Amino acid sequence: MPSRAPRKQAPAPRPVVARMRRNGRPRGATAASRIYADLRAELVSLVRRPGEPISETQIATAYGVSRTPVREAILKLSDEGLVEIFPQSGIFVSRIPVATLPETIIIRKSLEETTARMAAEHATSSQLLNLHATLERQREACAAKDREAFHQADEMFHAGIAEVAGYPGIWKLILQVKVHVDRYRRLTLPQIGRMSEVIAEHEPILAAIERRNPDAAGAAMASHLERLLDDISEIQTLNPEYFDQPT
Amino acid sequence: MPSRAPRKQAPAPRPVVARMRRNGRPRGATAASRIYADLRAELVSLVRRPGEPISETQIATAYGVSRTPVREAILKLSDEGLVEIFPQSGIFVSRIPVATLPETIIIRKSLEETTARMAAEHATSSQLLNLHATLERQREACAAKDREAFHQADEMFHAGIAEVAGYPGIWKLILQVKVHVDRYRRLTLPQIGRMSEVIAEHEPILAAIERRNPDAAGAAMASHLERLLDDISEIQTLNPEYFDQPT
DNA sequence: TTTCCTCAATTGATATACTAATATATGAAT
DNA sequence: ATTCATATATTAGTATATCAATTGAGGAAA
């Protein structure tokens, strides 16, 4: 029996206000979150291949922890659609759901057309200079044929536009949505020639934002992302086991 | 020592194909998923009020299960932003992040402008009849002043348009994004007068889709959702403890 | 009264253990 | 060889246990 009254029970006529938030650290460096981040990186980079089984216990021993935090990480990845859990059977890296990729790109196009528009309406000079700097970094990566840096600058460019628009949460949503497209594209690695095309498409977007022309900015962004739709639907034949077949 | 070779180990030169998927039931009726669904309903319906503490053990005993499945449900809700976990402190129903609501509505507007456009391009006669039926159901609910049925028909109308567009996943994404707006609007209950306005705004959307006019359909949808932006920013003052203050 | 200190209780995070279901390898039967 | 049955190991799901961090009430000190 508790010698003291329990700290907080619901029965009262609605405490409602409740306690104010305490420490400002909402769940940072737990074992689960570290494992989640690691696994996610391995999944998007295709270090773990679609269809491959994943063993909770194996990962747990590898990290020197119990199954519990590993399971927490896996469940989160399952929500994101990166792994599939089959009860009493096993966990597997999800195959790439080819059928849903076009819809994903449509979503991205729709959202980024909006951010480009809003960016053209709200951009400050310093923000424009930052975007120019990012684009220049991308040109350097292109010249150096550094695919990793190029991709990183590419994401920064798009994220930067969302931030200039005043809606950084839109880019967070896009990140969540485009994960399967990223896995798909990782399989179509070569595309060195694409890098300069991408830059050539980024330039008019930034130019339109600079001209404060929302319509042009949105249109340029839309046509840039429409190229993505063309890119997919090429290499489905090789490595068919990585894809979720239309049956 | 295992008397038999382990079933599957990674070391081999990449098994790759792995096992085909077995039973088609990817995680259905676990205790965790039932608790998750229940809790989520309680959160969006504001049965559990923003700021209120949530006790894992209390829920566990209420369901007659251990803390483990409860924790799985809570973690998922935490990812969705419906609850906040403060380490070694407690779990609390998240306050409504008022500052992010406009962005959420912008996202929805952007995506649904797209679905309306695409619906106008692809709608078949039977699909149009279904949309008319849904709209009629909404009129009936309005006449009966049945708010719950009205809201249900409203969601069906929007979901139906996404489906006609050929991108039902867009509606699923919207559902995920608009949860805080729903909680907010639940606080502004009255709005009986709004019901007929909503119907009056739905009609031109459907009419434009019927006329196969993507531009008009997108514009009608956009202006419909812009009304949402006006609706918020009204009742922040009453019940301030439910909102995440801009400090 | 106000401030500080102490301490029991609760909590989130993790560890360990158990169970029912399932898949697969092995061996038997055809 | 091919099919079928059986046994065994692995698994997801859940239960229970441990621990350090934090809270907040009560009492001591000012």
Side-chain angles (χ1 to χ4, degrees):
Chain A
M1 175 182 309
S3 62
R4 206 174 299 273
R7 194 160 46 135
K8 188 75 103 175
Q9 291 283 56
R14 291 238 166 272
V16 164
V17 159
R19 296 169 279 191
M20 265 302 129
R21 67 180 29 148
R22 48 239 70 229
N23 60 47
R25 163 178 40 96
R27 229 159 170 271
T30 76
S33 60
R34 185 158 24 91
I35 294 170
Y36 163 78
D38 289 356
L39 277 180
R40 190 177 204 285
E42 290 174 16
L43 288 167
V44 302
S45 68
L46 294 185
V47 168
R48 293 186 185 264
R49 307 294 185 101
E52 209 178 289
I54 296 180
S55 164
E56 280 185 0
T57 46
Q58 181 183 307
I59 294 172
T61 55
Y63 277 88
V65 299
S66 79
R67 268 182 58 207
T68 310
V70 176
R71 184 163 175 75
E72 180 180 330
I74 297 266
L75 285 170
K76 196 164 168 182
L77 293 167
S78 167
D79 289 337
E80 291 185 62
L82 281 169
V83 306
E84 284 177 297
I85 302 176
F86 294 92
Q88 273 73 41
S89 174
I91 302 169
F92 301 85
V93 180
S94 2
R95 292 187 165 75
I96 297 172
V98 198
T100 73
L101 296 189
E103 183 166 18
T104 298
I105 296 174
I106 298 267
I107 289 170
R108 180 172 177 189
K109 192 179 85 166
S110 170
L111 292 176
E112 292 217 55
E113 189 177 331
T114 297
T115 56
R117 281 194 120 83
M118 312 283 272
E121 291 169 2
H122 297 107
T124 68
S125 306
S126 66
Q127 289 173 330
L128 285 169
L129 288 174
N130 270 331
L131 288 177
H132 274 292
T134 301
L135 190 49
E136 183 62 22
R137 176 124 55 102
Q138 197 169 19
R139 284 198 200 91
E140 290 165 2
C142 177
K145 301 205 190 312
D146 182 342
R147 192 164 9 232
E148 206 51 52
F150 179 86
H151 190 250
Q152 202 178 321
D154 187 82
E155 301 248 312
M156 242 187 175
F157 184 75
H158 287 270
I161 288 176
E163 200 182 315
V164 170
Y167 299 113
I170 293 186
W171 180 248
K172 293 223 183 71
L173 183 64
I174 291 171
L175 277 182
Q176 184 195 128
V177 162
K178 77 193 188 73
V179 54
H180 289 301
V181 176
D182 288 342
R183 291 204 301 158
Y184 184 99
R185 303 192 80 211
R186 179 85 56 160
L187 288 173
T188 105
L189 267 187
Q191 53 165 321
I192 296 266
R194 276 290 294 156
M195 301 207 307
S196 53
E197 291 180 37
V198 165
I199 289 173
E201 290 163 19
H202 278 186
E203 281 162 351
I205 296 172
L206 181 48
I209 292 174
E210 207 152 20
R211 276 184 283 116
R212 318 271 171 188
N213 187 333
D215 286 343
M221 178 65 88
S223 73
H224 170 45
L225 291 173
E226 258 156 30
R227 305 294 293 267
L228 266 180
L229 269 171
D230 304 336
D231 282 5
I232 72 170
S233 75
E234 279 177 7
I235 342 89
Q236 307 90 331
T237 50
L238 69 106
N239 294 116
E241 71 271 23
Y242 290 163
F243 304 110
D244 194 32
Q245 295 304 340
T247 53
Chain B
M1 173 182 311
S3 61
R4 206 174 298 277
R7 192 160 46 135
K8 186 72 101 175
Q9 290 283 55
R14 292 238 163 272
V16 164
V17 159
R19 297 169 276 191
M20 264 304 127
R21 67 180 30 149
R22 49 240 68 229
N23 62 45
R25 164 178 41 95
R27 217 150 184 280
T30 76
S33 60
R34 184 156 25 90
I35 294 169
Y36 163 78
D38 288 356
L39 276 181
R40 189 177 207 283
E42 291 175 15
L43 288 167
V44 303
S45 68
L46 295 185
V47 169
R48 292 185 185 265
R49 307 295 184 99
E52 210 178 288
I54 296 180
S55 163
E56 281 185 359
T57 46
Q58 180 183 308
I59 294 171
T61 54
Y63 277 87
V65 299
S66 78
R67 276 179 55 201
T68 309
V70 176
R71 184 164 175 74
E72 178 180 330
I74 296 269
L75 284 169
K76 197 164 169 183
L77 292 168
S78 167
D79 289 338
E80 291 184 64
L82 281 170
V83 306
E84 285 178 296
I85 302 175
F86 294 93
Q88 271 71 42
S89 173
I91 303 170
F92 301 85
V93 180
S94 2
R95 292 187 165 75
I96 299 173
V98 198
T100 74
L101 296 188
E103 182 165 18
T104 298
I105 296 175
I106 298 267
I107 290 170
R108 181 172 176 187
K109 191 179 86 166
S110 170
L111 292 175
E112 292 216 56
E113 188 177 333
T114 297
T115 56
R117 281 194 120 84
M118 312 284 272
E121 290 169 2
H122 297 108
T124 69
S125 305
S126 67
Q127 290 173 330
L128 285 170
L129 288 174
N130 271 329
L131 288 177
H132 274 293
T134 301
L135 190 49
E136 184 61 21
R137 177 123 55 103
Q138 196 169 20
R139 283 196 203 93
E140 290 165 3
C142 177
K145 301 206 187 313
D146 182 342
R147 198 169 0 240
E148 207 50 54
F150 179 86
H151 190 250
Q152 203 179 320
D154 187 80
E155 301 249 309
M156 241 186 177
F157 183 75
H158 286 272
I161 288 176
E163 199 182 316
V164 169
Y167 298 114
I170 292 186
W171 181 248
K172 292 223 184 73
L173 184 64
I174 290 172
L175 276 183
Q176 185 195 128
V177 162
K178 78 193 186 75
V179 53
H180 289 301
V181 176
D182 288 342
R183 292 205 300 158
Y184 185 98
R185 301 192 81 210
R186 179 84 56 161
L187 288 173
T188 105
L189 268 187
Q191 50 168 321
I192 297 265
R194 276 291 293 156
M195 301 207 308
S196 53
E197 290 179 37
V198 164
I199 289 173
E201 289 162 20
H202 278 185
E203 280 161 352
I205 297 172
L206 180 49
I209 292 173
E210 206 153 20
R211 274 184 283 119
R212 317 271 171 191
N213 186 333
D215 286 343
M221 179 65 87
S223 73
H224 171 45
L225 292 173
E226 259 157 28
R227 303 296 292 268
L228 266 181
L229 270 171
D230 304 337
D231 282 5
I232 71 170
S233 74
E234 277 177 10
I235 343 87
Q236 307 90 330
T237 50
L238 69 106
N239 293 117
E241 70 270 23
Y242 290 163
F243 305 111
D244 196 30
Q245 296 303 339
T247 52

